[in-house]
């Protein structure tokens, strides 16, 4: 029995780890396949509320569920008035990376692999001690980290302004809301640039529609004129035919001339030919009018399709950059701590390890050791413990931080 228990424990641990990995959380990208319903299938990203926005069923919250439970919830939503029977398959399209921050050589994000623990993640980040790096190198890394943080924040501002502009194009709004008084420097310029793009796109779209509307009006006027000509031609045919009939009666009594009778028949034929020509022009006019009308509808459809696709792409980029900004900020802060803790000992007992993990909709922070197993999307923070050599050395390193004070305070 003890041997059996010893064999079952690793299996149970692996199953528990796999179940935790397959629990869905905010930001996960999943592939949903509905059998026989290609329009309902595709890739979806769990939004800030832990929901996926599916056709027909709308937003379905699946964060915190396992894959089978998520499949059942989506199936139930689709069968609630939309499908008689739905066969749903869900899989995680890509695993989120793990983020290593704090006192490591190369903080950042790293691909997740099954079996990865904190020690392995620290190894991926180049180790957990600063070592004997020179102050100049650490200052250079701090400058680069600060610059990356500022670039990401500027990119996030630009993407947010673009999203507002695309939403204005979609809704037909002509004016973007100005940035709030407390907005960061540069927001006004970014908003002004997006307002110029909005004005240009609106003028170009309206200009194209106006040209097509003018063509429609011209073709409709031509159609009215051709219709009147056709009516006149029909009346002329009737009069010519009446005259020809009357003259035929005279010719039958010997009072008519043969050449006059022939001329009457020619006039009748010419009038019918003119009517046929007018009908052909009317048919061409109807065809051209239908084509221009379709082009007028197509220009609106193409405009809205472009706006919706760009809006979806921009929202995904905002989500991506928005998740990178806190990481970049932590990296910059880590560089500052590394500069202050340049004389640390680097032993494992000197480090406090915290893991921030997305548990469904609410992130939780847990204490960890170097042997703690990681899950996709975990944020690992490595910091010196209170009273460690790094803390004692930070006071001695403050003097070396003074030349950077003006730069660091800008964030």
């Amino acid at each position: 029995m003890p041997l059996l228990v010893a064999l079952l424990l690793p299996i149970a641990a692996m199953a528990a780890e796999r179940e935790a990995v397959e629990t869905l959380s905010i930001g996960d990208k999943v592939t949903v396949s509905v059998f026989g319903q290609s329009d309902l299938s595709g890739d979806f990203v769990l939004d800030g509320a832990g929901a996926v926005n599916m056709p027909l069923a709308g937003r379905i919250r699946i964060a915190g569920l396992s894959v089978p439970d998520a499949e059942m919830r989506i199936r139930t939503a689709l069968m609630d008035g939309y499908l008689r029977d739905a066969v749903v398959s869900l899989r995680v399209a890509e695993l989120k990376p793990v983020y290593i921050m704090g006192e490591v050589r190369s903080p950042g994000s790293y691909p997740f692999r099954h079996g990865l623990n904190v020690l392995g993640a620290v190894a991926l980040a180049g180790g957990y001690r600063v070592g004997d790096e020179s102050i100049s190198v650490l200052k250079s890394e701090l400058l680069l980290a600060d610059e990356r943080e500022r670039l990401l924040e500027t990119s996030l501002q630009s993407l947010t302004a673009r999203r507002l502009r695309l939403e204005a194009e979609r809704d037909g709004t002509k004016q973007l809301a100005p940035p709030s008084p407390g907005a960061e420097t540069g927001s006004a310029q970014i908003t002004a640039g997006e307002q110029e793009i909005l004005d240009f796109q609106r003028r170009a779209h309206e200009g194209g529609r106006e040209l097509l509307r003018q063509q429609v009006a011209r073709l409709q006027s031509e159609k009215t004129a051709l219709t009147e000509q056709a009516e006149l031609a029909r009346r002329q045919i009737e009069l010519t035919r009446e005259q020809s009939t009357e003259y035929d009666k005279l010719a039958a009594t010997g009072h008519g001339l043969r050449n006059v009778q022939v001329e009457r028949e020619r006039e009748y034929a010419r009038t019918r030919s003119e009517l046929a020509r007018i009908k052909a022009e009317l048919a061409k006019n109807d065809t051209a009018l239908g084509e221009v009308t379709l082009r007028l509808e197509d220009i609106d459809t193409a405009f809205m399709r472009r706006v919706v696709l760009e809006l979806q792409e921009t929202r995904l980029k905002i989500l991506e950059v928005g998740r990178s900004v806190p990481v970049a900020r932590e990296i910059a802060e880590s560089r500052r701590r590394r500069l202050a803790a340049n004389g640390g000992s680097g032993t494992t007992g000197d480090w406090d390890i915290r893991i921030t993990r997305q548990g469904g909709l609410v992130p939780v922070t847990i204490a960890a050791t170097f042997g703690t197993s990681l899950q996709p999307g975990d944020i690992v923070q490595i910091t010196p413990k209170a009273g460690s050599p790094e803390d004692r050395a930070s006071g001695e390193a403050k003097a070396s931080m003074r030349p950077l004070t003006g730069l660091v305070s800008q964030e």
Side-chain angles (χ1 to χ4, degrees):
M1 180 64 75
L3 178 60
L4 180 59
V5 173
L7 292 174
L8 291 178
L9 283 178
I11 298 176
M14 293 175 61
E17 178 183 354
R18 181 176 181 83
E19 181 180 357
V21 169
E22 292 182 350
T23 299
L24 302 176
S25 60
I26 295 173
D28 278 342
K29 183 178 181 181
V30 297
T31 298
V32 179
S33 300
V34 183
F35 181 75
Q37 301 291 333
S38 59
D39 293 341
L40 303 180
S41 304
D43 293 337
F44 303 91
V45 178
L46 274 69
D47 59 19
V52 292
N53 193 4
M54 294 190 62
L56 294 182
R59 298 177 69 256
I60 306 173
R61 182 175 295 180
I62 58 175
L65 301 180
S66 64
V67 170
D69 292 340
E71 291 175 345
M72 180 60 66
R73 180 166 293 182
I74 293 174
R75 178 176 183 272
T76 302
L78 290 175
M79 292 178 63
D80 187 13
Y82 302 108
L83 299 177
R84 178 174 299 178
D85 188 18
V87 179
V88 179
S89 174
L90 182 145
R91 66 178 179 84
V92 179
E94 58 184 34
L95 296 175
K96 293 182 291 187
V98 292
Y99 302 90
I100 314 300
M101 301 182 299
E103 302 299 330
V104 290
R105 291 184 183 274
S106 300
S109 62
Y110 294 89
F112 175 83
R113 57 178 176 80
H114 293 284
L116 182 67
N117 58 15
V118 173
L119 184 60
V122 171
L124 290 175
Y128 55 79
R129 64 174 296 174
V130 176
D132 298 326
E133 294 175 301
S134 65
I135 296 297
S136 60
V137 172
L138 292 176
K139 287 181 179 179
S140 299
E141 290 184 352
L142 177 58
L143 291 174
L144 292 175
D146 281 339
E147 181 65 18
R148 173 169 172 76
E149 180 183 350
R150 284 192 292 270
L151 287 176
L152 285 173
E153 290 175 347
T154 302
S155 177
L156 186 59
Q157 292 178 22
S158 300
L159 289 171
T160 302
R162 183 189 304 175
R163 176 180 61 80
L164 294 175
R165 187 254 300 172
L166 290 170
E167 290 176 347
E169 291 184 20
R170 179 198 62 189
D171 301 335
T173 306
K174 296 182 180 181
Q175 189 68 36
L176 295 179
S180 59
E184 299 182 10
T185 305
S187 296
Q189 291 84 347
I190 294 174
T191 302
E194 291 297 333
Q195 181 65 53
E196 292 180 359
I197 297 176
L198 175 63
D199 295 339
F200 173 79
Q201 296 282 19
R202 181 173 55 83
R203 289 195 302 268
H205 179 62
E206 289 298 328
R209 297 186 83 255
E210 181 60 28
L211 289 175
L212 292 176
R213 283 196 295 264
Q214 292 176 3
Q215 293 184 37
V216 169
R218 178 179 58 81
L219 290 171
Q220 288 176 342
S221 299
E222 291 179 359
K223 182 176 182 180
T224 301
L226 289 171
T227 302
E228 293 177 356
Q229 292 178 24
E231 290 297 328
L232 292 175
R234 291 190 185 94
R235 181 58 180 163
Q236 184 66 25
I237 289 174
E238 294 175 358
L239 294 174
T240 304
R241 191 58 182 168
E242 289 176 1
Q243 291 178 357
S244 179
T245 302
E246 293 297 329
Y247 196 81
D248 287 344
K249 293 178 181 179
L250 291 175
T253 60
H255 294 85
L257 298 177
R258 178 60 183 171
N259 58 345
V260 176
Q261 185 178 11
V262 172
E263 185 61 31
R264 296 291 183 184
E265 292 295 334
R266 286 178 179 174
E267 180 66 22
Y268 178 70
R270 282 195 298 268
T271 308
R272 292 186 62 186
S273 175
E274 178 66 14
L275 179 60
R277 184 191 65 80
I278 295 173
K279 287 182 176 179
E281 291 294 331
L282 271 172
K284 290 170 58 178
N285 179 274
D286 287 338
T287 301
L289 185 59
E291 290 177 353
V292 175
T293 303
L294 286 177
R295 287 172 57 190
L296 187 59
E297 294 177 357
D298 288 343
I299 195 173
D300 290 335
T301 303
F303 175 80
M304 190 56 63
R305 183 185 299 112
R306 176 191 64 80
V307 170
V308 171
L309 290 177
E310 288 187 11
L311 183 59
Q312 182 180 8
E313 180 181 356
T314 301
R315 286 171 174 170
L316 291 176
K317 288 182 179 179
I318 288 176
L319 179 62
E320 179 181 353
V321 176
R323 294 176 58 186
S324 300
V325 168
V327 178
R329 190 174 293 119
E330 286 294 334
I331 290 174
E333 184 61 29
S334 173
R335 293 291 192 269
R336 296 186 187 92
R337 289 197 300 268
R338 290 172 69 186
L339 186 61
N342 190 38
S345 67
T347 60
T348 56
D350 293 330
W351 305 104
D352 182 45
I353 303 172
R354 300 283 174 175
I355 297 177
T356 300
R357 179 170 296 165
Q358 188 71 31
L361 297 177
V362 181
V364 295
T365 301
I366 59 174
T369 65
F370 284 106
T372 302
S373 297
L374 297 180
Q375 298 179 13
D378 279 354
I379 301 175
V380 182
Q381 178 71 43
I382 310 290
T383 56
K385 286 185 177 180
S388 66
E390 285 75 6
D391 289 334
R392 292 192 297 271
S394 62
E396 301 173 1
K398 287 183 179 178
S400 63
M401 289 285 288
R402 287 171 186 165
L404 292 176
T405 303
L407 173 65
V408 173
S409 61
Q410 294 177 4
E411 67 170 17

